[in-house]
Amino acid sequence: MKVRCLQLLVHLVVWLLILNGLIFLDAPQSKIYDYPEDNMEKEPSSIHNSGLGRSTRAGNDWPMYRGDLFHSGFGTSSIPSNDTPLWSNTTGSGDGYGSPAVADGRVFAGSADGYLYCFDLYTGERLWRTFLSSGDFGVCGSPAVANDHVVVFCSGDDTVYRLRVSDGSEDWSYSPGSGAYGGSSPAISNGRIYVGSGNRYLYCLDEISGNMIWSYRTDVGPWRNYGIQSSPAVANGRVFVGACDTYLYCFNESQPSAPNAEYFWRTDLYDAVFASPAVANGRVFCGSGYYAYGEGDNSHTMFCLDELTGEVIWSYVTGSDILSSPAIAYGNCYFTSTDGELYCVDAEDSGPTPSFVWSETVGDSWSSPAVADGKVVVGSRGTNSIYCFDALSGALIWSRNLGNDIYSSPAISDGKVVVGVRGSPESVYCFGNLTSPPSPPAPPTNLQAQLVGNGNDVMVFWDASIDDGSGDDNVLGYTVYKSSAGVNGPYDFEAWVLATDSPTYDWTDVGAGDGDLNDYFYIVRANNTDNNEENNVRKVGKVVNQQAKGWNLISVPLIQASTSRNYSLQTIEGNSSAVQSYHAGKSKPWLHWNDKKPAHLNDVNDITNENGYYIYMVNTDYLVTAGKVPTTTSISLYHGWNMVGYPSLEIRTRNDALSSISASYNRVIFLDTQSGREVFLGPSDLMSPGYGYWIHVTENCELVL
């Protein structure tokens, strides 16, 4: 009963957030829901992050640079207590800077060889790699994973890529032009992608199309001009990013002056800003400093600013430049400096200088610390080592020399720490215990689709997973995937439906029905509270077939939720005046419907996918059908002529399609609507969805499609 009450309370809180505009259902930023973390306690027994509000990470994934949109550097996973690697795998050779992202049991890492790699988190097996470009350090930014796609900025060809998580195939690419090189890592929020570039621009791109929504060009830096190497953080409707013109910028996500954006505020940090900001508790934390020491003012300072005004609350000066990004956890701010120290200061201090908590020597470091489980992990290029410290005391727990520079920032997920290492070849190391991937929930059942809204919309509906509302695999929600490229996909994220312990669910694709001439197909999968998704491939869809003026011999290729004639033919109502069907083996094989006959004389009441139908069209129109995609359909044929449907979405030759009755048929006819004549099909002629056929068989048999 306590568990049930807690579930109801969680659902109530989520819907209150939706009603207050804090969670957006119309533009979900990922299939992962958000977990507010607002405890600044310093005891590791309360492992909550500091006031982070909306995050893009659920469970314990690390799907982007610094783990979430706030760039908190804080995770909910445990961290291994020893330095034994679970696995390592090689990428390419070169001087890599990128950090890994971890999502859905996969590790995504860029390399100086120009490839983006995908590894299995649990085994280290390489699942795929995609070549982008090897110039200018290749892929030196970190990937961001959302909505079953991974987005990365490739310095090699100055291009932003969106690839499919499943196989690394390209969805789209956007090239800002030459000089856009750099190590900025994208952030994905509310259907938008934010990324900086070496050409001084901050770009806002549409997540689905890759089109630019707005951009802003920062000033020329006072020393070398490397534009924006900082990675944007997103919080509370605003975007925060540093630039080499020495300013930390704040922008509103929505820009009334698009495509030429205006900043909300900017604050001078007195030196080039290579580090990325973190946002927590109404404050923005960011370091300054330039990797060519001796150039610039060398402020080498960590700043804490007011999130709304940009005013400096406190600053902490180190002995050298700060190129790492801070982690905010347990009320503290953790960061490294090229002076060789890992620092921990009080993040909540009112200034002008924060209270020092502890520091430990790690050697010259560009690596950004990651915090979880009461521990801090960080890499070093000065000692070639990865370190793990107690987050509250700074005591060393373990360290390991990996043999080459570590510029990469660690990612934490499912009890594992993943980090990249430079070298020939470069490598990805994973520390942690051997575990199995979390078990997924059971899939939803009875998936179906139908036309609603006078046929203008497609409603997808299903019965709940058996794990919805009970068990260890309790379902958090359902992900709807959609393909406009055919039944075989690819399928892309379309919608998220929150689980409410209901026995049934539905989602409507508004405007996708009659009037939209595209075919669409849908898959629905259950996600549990560990962000583990099952992978069923049950499909429903909507298909469109043009019907010419005059007689047509048609069939419906999908299994409809309703087979009534009125429902099945609703999209050609007014343009169709007669229907005829023939049912071999029946005492009354011919059935008829005519709009001029009284109802009691009409006997075509159903339209099923096993049968063919003559339909007379007064005018050319489009028959739209929605329903379940058939897997295998068996049709009983009787000696002589049979009028049958073609319940398949695959175009096949006659011999291939009818291979199950190859010894039992001798003639096949279809109606050529252009000539109005019935024509015999040859062995290599094609049978297609939406058409009906006459098949002559020499014996009773079963046609299996």
Side-chain angles (χ1 to χ4, degrees), residues 101-135:
V102 183
D104 299 330
R106 298 184 175 206
V107 176
F108 303 87
S111 173
D113 68 354
Y115 283 90
L116 180 67
Y117 290 81
C118 176
F119 301 99
D120 186 284
L121 172 64
Y122 301 95
T123 66
E125 175 190 1
R126 192 177 81 191
L127 302 177
W128 54 258
R129 67 174 185 171
T130 297
F131 181 74
L132 304 178
S133 177
S134 58

Side-chain angles (χ1 to χ4, degrees), residues 230 241-243 246-248 269-278 284-290 299-305 314 316 318 320-326 333-336:
S230 173
V241 69
T246 76
Y247 284 97
L248 177 66
L269 302 190
Y270 309 112
D271 204 347
V273 182
F274 270 63
S276 301
V284 184
F285 304 83
C286 191
S288 69
Y290 187 53
S299 69
H300 39 77
T301 301
M302 177 59 64
F303 292 90
C304 172
L305 301 89
W314 57 252
Y316 187 89
T318 69
S320 189
D321 297 333
I322 300 174
L323 297 164
S324 82
S325 303
C333 175
Y334 302 85
F335 60 95
T336 62

Side-chain angles (χ1 to χ4, degrees), residues 402-699:
L402 297 181
N404 217 315
D405 297 343
I406 302 175
Y407 284 82
S408 169
S409 301
I412 306 170
S413 178
D414 201 18
K416 297 168 181 59
V417 174
V418 184
V419 69
V421 182
R422 274 189 173 187
S424 296
E426 295 180 305
S427 300
V428 175
Y429 276 82
C430 177
F431 297 84
N433 296 321
L434 181 63
T435 58
S436 299
S439 60
T445 58
N446 298 324
L447 181 66
Q448 185 54 283
Q450 68 181 22
L451 298 175
V452 296
N454 295 320
N456 295 319
D457 310 322
V458 178
M459 183 174 73
V460 180
F461 55 99
W462 61 93
D463 291 345
S465 162
I466 60 173
D467 292 319
D468 191 341
S470 63
D472 294 335
D473 297 322
N474 193 12
V475 173
L476 181 65
Y478 299 89
T479 311
V480 181
Y481 298 94
K482 179 179 178 180
S483 168
S484 58
V487 69
N488 294 322
Y491 285 78
D492 294 324
F493 173 88
E494 183 67 21
W496 168 262
V497 178
L498 184 70
T500 58
D501 296 350
S502 171
T504 60
Y505 294 88
D506 63 76
W507 169 81
T508 300
D509 196 355
V510 177
D514 193 18
D516 186 333
L517 300 183
N518 296 301
D519 292 350
Y520 297 121
F521 299 94
Y522 308 88
I523 294 174
V524 178
R525 291 174 176 166
N527 283 260
N528 65 14
T529 50
D530 290 325
N531 187 40
N532 198 12
E533 182 176 275
E534 48 84 16
N535 61 353
N536 84 82
V537 291
R538 299 165 186 158
K539 301 168 185 175
V540 294
K542 161 252 176 174
V543 296
V544 182
N545 288 287
Q546 186 178 31
Q547 308 303 322
K549 183 178 179 179
W551 284 105
N552 298 261
L553 179 52
I554 68 105
S555 67
V556 292
L558 302 175
I559 304 171
Q560 301 178 102
S562 170
T563 60
S564 75
R565 184 195 68 251
N566 287 344
Y567 168 79
S568 301
L569 305 182
Q570 61 179 304
T571 61
I572 55 174
E573 183 181 3
N575 284 322
S576 58
S577 61
V579 181
Q580 298 180 5
S581 62
Y582 181 83
H583 302 264
K586 302 292 185 181
S587 58
K588 181 186 177 184
W590 281 103
L591 300 178
H592 305 268
W593 174 86
N594 191 297
D595 63 355
K596 295 181 175 57
K597 288 184 178 180
H600 70 278
L601 295 179
N602 288 322
D603 48 16
V604 176
N605 298 315
D606 295 287
I607 306 292
T608 68
N609 67 338
E610 296 97 341
N611 292 106
Y613 299 86
Y614 282 120
I615 294 183
Y616 187 82
M617 300 294 296
V618 179
N619 296 296
T620 297
D621 204 349
Y622 293 91
L623 176 62
V624 181
T625 305
K628 188 183 304 182
V629 174
T631 51
T632 300
T633 305
S634 181
I635 303 174
S636 296
L637 303 182
Y638 297 88
H639 182 267
W641 285 104
N642 297 258
M643 184 194 286
V644 301
Y646 185 70
S648 171
L649 291 167
E650 185 179 357
I651 299 174
R652 302 161 68 183
T653 65
R654 187 202 75 182
N655 279 7
D656 184 25
L658 304 183
S659 60
S660 62
I661 58 168
S662 59
S664 302
Y665 78 96
N666 53 21
R667 282 169 287 177
V668 178
I669 291 175
F670 85 104
L671 177 62
D672 182 359
T673 57
Q674 290 185 340
S675 65
R677 299 172 57 191
E678 292 180 323
V679 180
F680 286 101
L681 276 183
S684 60
D685 289 334
L686 299 178
M687 300 183 73
S688 301
Y691 290 91
Y693 297 91
W694 284 100
I695 301 177
H696 187 272
V697 296
T698 56
E699 60 182 345

Side-chain angles (χ1 to χ4, degrees), residues 246-258:
T246 76
Y247 284 97
L248 177 66
Y249 288 84
C250 171
F251 299 86
N252 286 319
E253 283 197 75
S254 298
Q255 285 288 334
S257 58

